[in-house]
Amino acid sequence: MRRFELGDSHWSITVSKGVVDLVWGDPDRPEQRHHRRFGSDQLASTFFEGQIARQRALGYVEVFPDVRYADQAGDVPPEPPRARSIRFEVPAEKPSNFKRYPQPAAFREIEQQDRLLIELDGELDDHTKTKRREETFATIAAASEAYDECVESLREDGGWRQIRSSVVRGASREPLLEAECLAAGDDPAPWAVYADWLLEHGDPLGELATCLDGEANARFDSAMSELGVSEHVQIVRTHGFPRAATIKFEDVDGADPARLADAAKAVCASSEGRFIEVLRLGLGGYTDSNDWAPTLRALAETAHPERIRELYFNEYAFTDCEISWATMGDLTGLFTPFPNLEVLHLKSGAGGVLGALDLPSLRTFIRESGGLAASEITSILEAKWPHLAHLELWFGSTDYGAGSTVVSIRSILDGSLPSLRHLGIVNCEWVEDAIDALARSQVLPQLSSLDLSRGILAQRGVALLREHAAAFRHLASIDLSANLLTAGEAVQIREVLDNVILNDQRERDPYYEEDEADGEVARYVAVGE
C-alpha cells in the first residue's frame, strides 16, 4: 500500500492480483473507498502507477504506510445521501353511510437537500391547501436519519402508497471537464479523466464508469432500484458512462401516464443517469389513455434537458397496443426545452397534436402512423428545422384517420427543405401518385435515398417507375419493400433500376382486386390498425 497526504487530506492505493483499492478522505467528508478490478495484473499496475504520479502532481506527499489502512478489512460505510426525495399518495375515501365528508385524495413528499429536510403535504385536487415544513440539521447524516424516519413512518401506515423516489449520492460536477467530454465525440480520453475526477470526489458515477460491464450493470440496476424503476430500464454505456436508456412498462392497461414521466425524470436526474442523451420510451398508458406530454414536461424539469439529443417514443409492438389505438397527447410547445435534439421519432395513431415545431438542431424526424391526420401534416410542413436531413412520414389509411393526398406535400416536393437527403413516403395509399410527382419535383435531385415502402404500389407504379427511371437512377437506394408487387413486376423494375430494395412483398388478394359494384380496386397499406 502507498499512502499520501496533503494538509489534512489523505489518499492511499493498494494493488493486488489485478485489483486496485483506493481510499481517500478529509475532515469535511466521510472517508471514501473505490474497488476496481482489471483484466490483468499489468493493466492494474499501469493504473496504480498512473494514480501515484497524478497525486504527486497534485502536491500530495508520500508518508510511511499506516497500519490502520494497510490492515483495514471490509467496506467503508457509504456517504449518506445528499439529495433525495420521495412521494406518497393516499386515495380518496368513498362516501358511505358512516362518513358524510370522506377524506379527499392526498399526497406527501419528503425531500432532503444536504442538511435541509422539506416536507410537503396537501390534497391532490386542491394545491392551495399544500403545506410546507422545513428543518435544518447540523450534519448531512442527521438530516438523512430524519428523512429515513419520516419515510419509514409513512410506509408503516398502510394507507399511503409510494409513487416515486429519486436519490443522488454525493454528486459532483466539474463544468470544464464535462464540456470536454460532451465535445469529445468518440474519443474516450476526456471521459477517462472525468471518471478519475469523479472518483476522487466520491461521486458514484465515477465508480460506475470504471467498472467492467457486468458489475456496472449491477450497480446501475441497484441505483435504479432505489428509484423504483430498475426492472423497467435498460441502459447502453459509452466510454463507461450511461449514455442511452430504454424505459418501458409492460403493464400499461389502466396505467397513469405520470408513471412513465416520473420514471424518465428519475433516471435522467439521478447521479448515474445525468449524462444520458438518448431516450427510447414505451407507452405511458393503454389506447387513448397514452399521453407523452407529461414525460416531455418532466424531462424539461431535469437539470440538463439540453443534453438530450435523441427521443424515440416508439418502444412498443402491436402485441402491446395496436398503433391506431395509441394516442400521443397534445405536444404543442413541449420540445422547446430540448434545443440540441437531433432525432425525434413518434409512433402512434391519429390521436394527438404536434402543434408548432421549432427544432433548430433536428436532423431526423420520423412520424410513424396508421393514419396521419391533416392537422399533423400542417404542423410538419410549417415546422422550423433548417438542418433536417431525414424526413420519414407514415401516412396510413383513410379508414384510420389519414387525411392527405400527394398535393398535401407539395411544398416538400418544391424544395422547402434544402438540407433534406432522405425522404420517406411510407405506408401510403397514394404512393403511385407520388412517383409521378417526385419525378417532376425539385427535391428529388438533392435526395440520396427514397423510401416508398409499405404502400399499395402495383402495376401502375411499375409503369411510372419505368417511365421515369432516369430521374431516380442517381439515388443510392429506393426502398419498395412490403408493397404489392408480383415477382414479374419486380423483375420489370430491376430491368431499369438497379438501386431498388424489393423485400417482403405482400400478396394482392384477388377477392379485393376488383369491387363488383364500381370496378374500383381495393388495396391496403401495410399498417393501418
Side-chain angles (χ1 to χ4, degrees):
M1 187 199 76
R2 307 282 290 274
R3 178 178 168 83
F4 297 78
E5 291 181 356
L6 177 62
D8 293 331
S9 300
H10 66 268
W11 181 90
S12 62
I13 184 168
T14 304
V15 61
S16 176
K17 297 180 180 179
V19 176
V20 176
D21 285 299
L22 294 167
V23 179
W24 65 94
D26 57 55
D28 297 326
R29 189 205 312 255
E31 191 171 74
Q32 303 292 297
R33 170 170 288 193
H34 174 60
H35 180 83
R36 182 169 179 180
R37 184 179 300 277
F38 291 83
S40 68
D41 291 346
Q42 182 178 358
L43 290 174
S45 297
T46 300
F47 179 79
F48 177 85
E49 296 299 335
Q51 288 296 304
I52 289 176
R54 180 182 178 84
Q55 298 310 312
R56 285 175 172 161
L58 292 172
Y60 278 80
V61 177
E62 186 167 4
V63 297
F64 188 80
D66 190 325
V67 295
R68 292 177 302 169
Y69 296 92
D71 298 332
Q72 187 174 0
D75 292 330
V76 176
E79 180 182 0
R82 293 183 172 186
R84 55 180 173 169
S85 66
I86 194 165
R87 180 183 177 95
F88 291 84
E89 292 181 3
V90 61
E93 294 180 355
K94 296 181 179 179
S96 68
N97 295 332
F98 303 100
K99 293 185 177 181
R100 293 181 58 189
Y101 304 102
Q103 185 72 22
F107 75 92
R108 180 165 296 176
E109 288 188 6
I110 314 297
E111 182 178 355
Q112 178 193 347
Q113 299 177 3
D114 290 332
R115 297 183 295 113
L116 177 66
L117 189 70
I118 303 170
E119 294 183 64
L120 296 173
D121 62 77
E123 297 179 11
L124 286 175
D125 297 328
D126 188 353
H127 293 286
T128 63
K129 297 184 179 180
T130 299
K131 297 179 180 179
R132 179 186 178 100
R133 295 180 295 277
E134 295 185 3
E135 184 177 1
T136 302
F137 292 82
T139 64
I140 293 175
S144 295
E145 183 178 353
Y147 176 96
D148 292 336
E149 290 177 355
C150 292
V151 171
E152 186 63 28
S153 176
L154 288 172
R155 284 176 173 160
E156 290 177 352
D157 186 338
W160 292 95
R161 179 168 63 97
Q162 182 177 328
I163 301 300
R164 67 171 183 264
S165 64
S166 63
V167 59
V168 176
R169 294 183 180 275
S172 303
R173 287 197 60 202
E174 196 354 276
L176 291 178
L177 288 178
E178 286 185 10
E180 289 179 7
C181 290
L182 295 172
D186 294 331
D187 183 3
W191 292 98
V193 171
Y194 196 40
D196 290 340
W197 187 91
L198 291 169
L199 278 174
E200 293 171 4
H201 288 78
D203 192 313
L205 183 57
E207 296 186 21
L208 185 70
T210 54
C211 289
L212 297 177
D213 285 346
E215 183 182 356
N217 292 340
R219 285 176 179 265
F220 188 87
D221 287 346
S222 176
M224 294 301 102
S225 180
E226 291 193 46
L227 306 179
V229 296
S230 60
E231 67 271 31
H232 309 296
V233 179
Q234 293 181 333
I235 65 152
V236 175
R237 300 197 309 155
T238 304
H239 309 318
F241 288 77
R243 305 297 303 282
T246 298
I247 305 174
K248 178 181 178 181
F249 290 87
E250 301 295 338
D251 54 330
V252 294
D253 193 0
D256 184 347
R259 181 179 64 169
L260 179 65
D262 291 339
K265 182 178 181 179
V267 170
C268 291
S270 69
S271 174
E272 292 79 6
R274 64 185 186 267
F275 285 104
I276 285 175
E277 58 184 5
V278 178
L279 278 173
R280 300 180 183 275
L281 300 149
L283 294 168
Y286 191 61
T287 66
D288 58 1
S289 68
N290 184 58
D291 187 352
W292 288 314
T295 299
L296 287 169
R297 293 191 188 97
L299 290 171
E301 294 173 358
T302 59
H304 298 287
E306 75 281 356
R307 286 182 179 166
I308 296 178
R309 294 190 305 106
E310 300 180 19
L311 281 173
Y312 300 86
F313 291 93
N314 67 334
E315 278 296 317
Y316 67 97
F318 73 92
T319 51
D320 301 308
C321 180
E322 296 285 0
I323 189 172
S324 65
W325 304 351
T327 57
M328 65 181 181
D330 187 347
L331 309 183
T332 303
L334 297 183
F335 297 106
T336 303
F338 311 100
N340 297 318
L341 191 64
E342 296 177 6
V343 178
L344 177 59
H345 186 156
L346 298 166
K347 174 184 174 181
S348 77
V353 179
L354 277 177
L357 295 170
D358 189 353
L359 298 164
S361 301
L362 202 72
R363 265 68 174 174
T364 297
F365 180 77
I366 301 172
R367 179 65 179 96
E368 191 174 343
S369 175
L372 192 60
S375 59
E376 283 197 62
I377 295 173
T378 299
S379 293
I380 292 166
L381 296 178
E382 296 177 351
K384 297 178 181 177
W385 39 33
H387 301 292
L388 192 72
H390 181 117
L391 177 62
E392 181 179 322
L393 304 178
W394 293 42
F395 290 93
S397 168
T398 52
D399 293 337
Y400 291 96
S404 63
T405 67
V406 69
V407 177
S408 303
I409 62 166
R410 174 54 60 189
S411 64
I412 296 174
L413 299 177
D414 288 344
S416 63
L417 299 171
S419 299
L420 196 65
R421 297 296 177 264
H422 174 91
L423 176 61
I425 301 174
V426 182
N427 200 46
C428 184
E429 292 179 324
W430 40 266
V431 62
E432 292 179 326
D433 294 334
I435 293 172
D436 189 58
L438 280 163
R440 307 172 192 279
S441 72
Q442 296 180 45
V443 73
L444 185 61
Q446 75 185 52
L447 298 180
S448 60
S449 57
L450 182 66
D451 187 350
L452 304 178
S453 63
R454 298 178 175 85
I456 62 168
L457 191 70
Q459 303 103 314
R460 177 170 170 255
V462 173
L464 287 168
L465 282 171
R466 288 177 64 87
E467 177 185 349
H468 299 296
F472 294 96
R473 285 200 182 106
H474 73 284
L475 296 170
S477 66
I478 309 171
D479 192 347
L480 304 178
S481 300
N483 274 286
L484 298 170
L485 299 169
T486 65
E489 290 164 349
V491 169
Q492 292 179 49
I493 296 174
R494 286 197 183 280
E495 287 176 348
V496 294
L497 290 169
D498 61 0
N499 54 356
V500 290
I501 301 170
L502 295 162
N503 301 329
D504 305 318
Q505 293 301 310
R506 295 176 293 129
E507 291 186 11
R508 299 204 287 263
D509 190 333
Y511 179 81
Y512 293 108
E513 274 298 286
E514 186 172 343
D515 188 286
E516 294 181 1
D518 52 22
E520 291 185 0
V521 173
R523 294 173 183 155
Y524 300 93
V525 294
V527 179
E529 185 175 9

